[in-house]
Amino acid sequence: MSECLVVVGASHAGVELALGVRRDGFAGRLILIGAEPTLPYHRPPLSKAFLAGDKQLYEIDLRPAALYEKQGFELLRDTLVTAIDLVRKRVVLGDGNELAYDALALATGSRVRRLNVPGSTLDGIHYIRTVRDIESFRERLGPGTRMVIVGGGYIGLEVAAVSVRKGVEVTVLEAAPTLLSRVTAPDMASFYARVHREEGVEVRTGATVTGFTGGNEVESVMCSDGTRHAADLIVVGIGILPEVALAEAAGLEVDDGIVVDEHTRTSDPHIVAAGDCTNHPSRLYGRRVRLESVPNAVEQAKVAAATLCAKDKVYDTVPVFWSDQYELKLQIAGLSQGHDQVVIRGSMAERHFAAFYLRGGTLIAVDAVNSPAEFMAGKRLIAARAGIEPERLADTSVPMKEFLQRGGTTA
Amino acid sequence: MKVNYIQPDGTRHEIEAEPGNTVMETAVDNDVPGIVAECGGGCSCATCHVQVTPEWYARVGQPEDIEQDMLEFVVDRKDTSRLGCQIELTPELDGLTVNVPESQY
């Protein structure tokens, strides 16, 4: 890869990829294009410490600006890429200018799924993705504010946790029968529902939002069960979709994400992609996946950088995710879909336990709450496709270390 | 103040550091290779593992519970291993020297 690399997207994956190619020896022109006006920043704190006001923007920068200069990045902020011309190898910017590339990296991330019901364009309805989103309402978190959160996934629950601790009256409306239904077992879901209720959050499941009412500002939320909830502030967290419009319009292969191989190559030989926006093969699970996590963005970006520099690296790791709510540190390794057995280790009552997910006797995922050893060991056991004896796993007198020492396999 | 990071191949990075920042932040802000820090300092990922050189370990101190549990499973764990995000730099640590492990995964 010779003279000019253009990286579209300047968040976790884009920045890591740019740093990676410099580290892997690329000395040519490097243009890093971000849609947001700010310096690149860590996204996870937006629903945690940044929302709470415990951190300010400069404290969540991914890297100091000086580092980008030192590495010779041309960082274009507040800049949209509106088209890619695969044949002429150019990207078109929002202002009409074109940039020629020798190689292109797409790190366009995700966009939020939007609620499309009557009243959903009223003021006071907020989504969670950017610094601007959070800055538009975090000052309103305090006693007397009534917040309704639409969506009982990680984003909704993290916002609930921060808000209720600030004295906000919080209601979470989840359409599915349980919280976190897409991603966890019922035991985990009911644990989180219990904790949130103990903290004072009103949790309503099986509650589909059918509309909002209000003048200019939202005043209440209507649900399918006939209930109506007064609200000063609405936060919607109903999932994200991969940002693939650019790739799709350009003619790249797209299928629930920009399709890439295990080296992060797209269907065009000069283009790689990394992070939330990709659909990539998982050797571990024998299927393609699209992951929504920082570790995926960072690790896949490193492989993309290697590929761009003609180094042979394969992206093949155990998916990892974490979520912080109240004093609960949740660390997740693996994907639990398709499990046929759940083993609980530890104490839900004491709020430190892990849910291990097995399939055919093999460990495929673990959700660990305040249980770092279970998470760390679990990650290794999942990678080793270890067979586990459920009774031993549930026995807290057997340290997690022992499962690794035995090679993790049953007799 | 200065912090020294020694790579597995012996390469040494001497970094000008700010008291109040952590060993991890100092490394990441200066693009020191081998310190990944995916979770940005939340003690959730154990990818900022460093091996404090023995002569500095007493001054740096021992890990607390969560960090201890995470460290038990890092790659190439040494008695002087710490998570870089949990070591806050103070003027007394001027000259601190740590080894960067072969891998964070």
Side-chain angles (χ1 to χ4, degrees), chain A residues 9-77:
Chain A
S11 187
H12 290 274
V15 168
E16 196 66 49
L17 193 154
L19 291 171
V21 294
R22 284 294 190 229
R23 207 173 290 141
D24 286 341
F26 172 62
R29 191 174 176 204
L30 199 163
I31 306 173
L32 179 56
I33 306 176
E36 296 186 60
T38 58
L39 283 174
Y41 56 86
H42 285 270
R43 278 201 207 283
L46 295 189
S47 52
K48 308 174 190 67
F50 185 77
L51 175 63
D54 296 340
K55 290 227 161 141
Q56 299 314 316
L57 183 53
Y58 74 91
E59 295 175 277
I60 61 170
D61 282 342
L62 279 179
R63 299 292 188 285
L67 183 60
Y68 303 134
E69 283 163 37
K70 184 169 168 221
Q71 297 294 358
F73 299 168
E74 291 171 54
L75 176 58
L76 304 183
R77 296 196 252 164

Side-chain angles (χ1 to χ4, degrees), chain A residues 30 106 112 121 176 197 203 256-257 262 305 317 396 411:
Chain A
L30 199 163
L106 299 177
V112 293
T121 55
R197 286 181 174 126
V203 176
D256 187 30
E262 70 266 31
T317 64
T396 51

Side-chain angles (χ1 to χ4, degrees), chain A residues 208-261:
Chain A
T208 303
V209 170
T210 50
F212 301 97
T213 60
N216 294 319
E217 292 261 341
V218 70
E219 283 162 28
S220 67
V221 186
M222 273 110 51
C223 279
S224 52
D225 61 3
T227 57
R228 181 194 213 97
H229 306 268
D232 304 306
L233 189 55
I234 310 282
V235 172
V236 180
I238 56 173
I240 49 178
L241 298 166
E243 189 55 88
V244 300
L246 202 58
E248 193 158 29
L252 292 175
E253 192 187 345
V254 164
D255 183 1
D256 187 30
I258 301 173
V259 173
V260 298
D261 66 12

Side-chain angles (χ1 to χ4, degrees), chain A residues 133-322:
Chain A
D133 290 337
I134 304 298
E135 283 175 338
S136 70
F137 74 91
R138 70 174 175 166
E139 314 264 298
R140 300 182 65 192
L141 298 187
T145 298
R146 295 162 305 174
M147 176 191 282
V148 172
I149 296 174
V150 180
Y154 291 115
I155 290 291
L157 296 185
E158 288 183 350
V159 172
V162 168
S163 303
V164 81
R165 283 279 171 93
K166 286 193 164 289
V168 174
E169 212 177 287
V170 180
T171 300
V172 171
L173 301 175
E174 166 55 54
T178 60
L179 299 176
L180 302 172
S181 59
R182 197 173 49 97
V183 287
T184 62
D187 280 344
M188 286 289 296
S190 51
F191 169 78
Y192 272 92
R194 169 171 74 78
V195 170
H196 278 275
R197 286 181 174 126
E198 283 170 6
E199 291 282 339
V201 174
E202 185 186 351
V203 176
R204 301 181 77 95
T205 53
T208 303
V209 170
T210 50
F212 301 97
T213 60
N216 294 319
E217 292 261 341
V218 70
E219 283 162 28
S220 67
V221 186
M222 273 110 51
C223 279
S224 52
D225 61 3
T227 57
R228 181 194 213 97
H229 306 268
D232 304 306
L233 189 55
I234 310 282
V235 172
V236 180
I238 56 173
I240 49 178
L241 298 166
E243 189 55 88
V244 300
L246 202 58
E248 193 158 29
L252 292 175
E253 192 187 345
V254 164
D255 183 1
D256 187 30
I258 301 173
V259 173
V260 298
D261 66 12
E262 70 266 31
H263 303 286
T264 81
R265 287 201 184 282
T266 67
S267 52
D268 181 295
H270 306 284
I271 306 180
V272 297
D276 271 19
C277 68
T278 72
N279 182 288
H280 59 270
S282 165
R283 274 188 194 175
L284 189 55
Y285 296 100
R287 64 175 194 267
R288 292 188 143 267
V289 295
R290 177 174 62 80
L291 301 177
E292 302 169 358
S293 78
V294 166
N296 174 64
V298 168
E299 294 172 43
Q300 194 177 26
K302 287 179 200 271
V303 173
T307 297
L308 286 168
C309 296
K311 294 179 189 224
D312 187 25
K313 262 210 201 139
V314 163
Y315 181 48
D316 179 30
T317 64
V318 175
V320 159
F321 181 81
W322 63 79

Side-chain angles (χ1 to χ4, degrees), chain A residues 12 16 19 22-23 42 55 61-64 67 70-71 294-296 298-299 302 317 320 322 324 329-331 371-377 379-380 399-401 404, chain B residues 15 24-25 27-47 65-77 83 104-105:
Chain A
H12 290 274
E16 196 66 49
L19 291 171
R22 284 294 190 229
R23 207 173 290 141
H42 285 270
K55 290 227 161 141
D61 282 342
L62 279 179
R63 299 292 188 285
L67 183 60
K70 184 169 168 221
Q71 297 294 358
V294 166
N296 174 64
V298 168
E299 294 172 43
K302 287 179 200 271
T317 64
V320 159
W322 63 79
D324 297 330
K329 185 181 221 56
L330 171 62
Q331 294 165 295
S371 300
E374 280 70 13
F375 165 72
M376 295 290 287
K379 194 159 54 125
R380 297 251 212 102
M400 286 308 300
K401 224 181 193 171
L404 294 174
Chain B
I15 304 292
M24 177 277 282
E25 285 164 344
V28 161
D29 285 355
N30 290 278
D31 203 31
V32 172
I35 310 256
V36 178
E38 280 172 358
C39 78
C43 204
S44 291
C45 71
T47 61
D65 293 343
I66 298 179
E67 186 191 345
Q68 182 86 272
D69 282 347
M70 304 281 282
L71 281 169
E72 206 184 341
F73 300 94
V74 294
V75 171
D76 197 17
R77 202 233 165 137
L83 294 184
Q104 297 288 352
Y105 299 107

Side-chain angles (χ1 to χ4, degrees), chain A residues 68-88:
Chain A
Y68 303 134
E69 283 163 37
K70 184 169 168 221
Q71 297 294 358
F73 299 168
E74 291 171 54
L75 176 58
L76 304 183
R77 296 196 252 164
D78 204 17
T79 301
L80 285 178
V81 174
T82 55
I84 310 170
D85 183 332
L86 300 186
V87 172
R88 288 162 66 239

Side-chain angles (χ1 to χ4, degrees), chain B residues 11-87:
Chain B
T11 311
R12 195 184 182 92
H13 292 93
E14 187 187 66
I15 304 292
E16 186 62 46
E18 291 291 322
N21 283 350
T22 64
V23 165
M24 177 277 282
E25 285 164 344
T26 304
V28 161
D29 285 355
N30 290 278
D31 203 31
V32 172
I35 310 256
V36 178
E38 280 172 358
C39 78
C43 204
S44 291
C45 71
T47 61
C48 65
H49 168 215
V50 293
Q51 299 151 344
V52 180
T53 52
E55 58 271 23
W56 280 96
Y57 189 67
R59 253 181 285 189
V60 160
Q62 303 209 328
E64 307 232 333
D65 293 343
I66 298 179
E67 186 191 345
Q68 182 86 272
D69 282 347
M70 304 281 282
L71 281 169
E72 206 184 341
F73 300 94
V74 294
V75 171
D76 197 17
R77 202 233 165 137
K78 301 265 191 274
D79 291 339
T80 59
S81 281
R82 291 290 310 270
L83 294 184
C85 68
Q86 301 301 302
I87 305 173

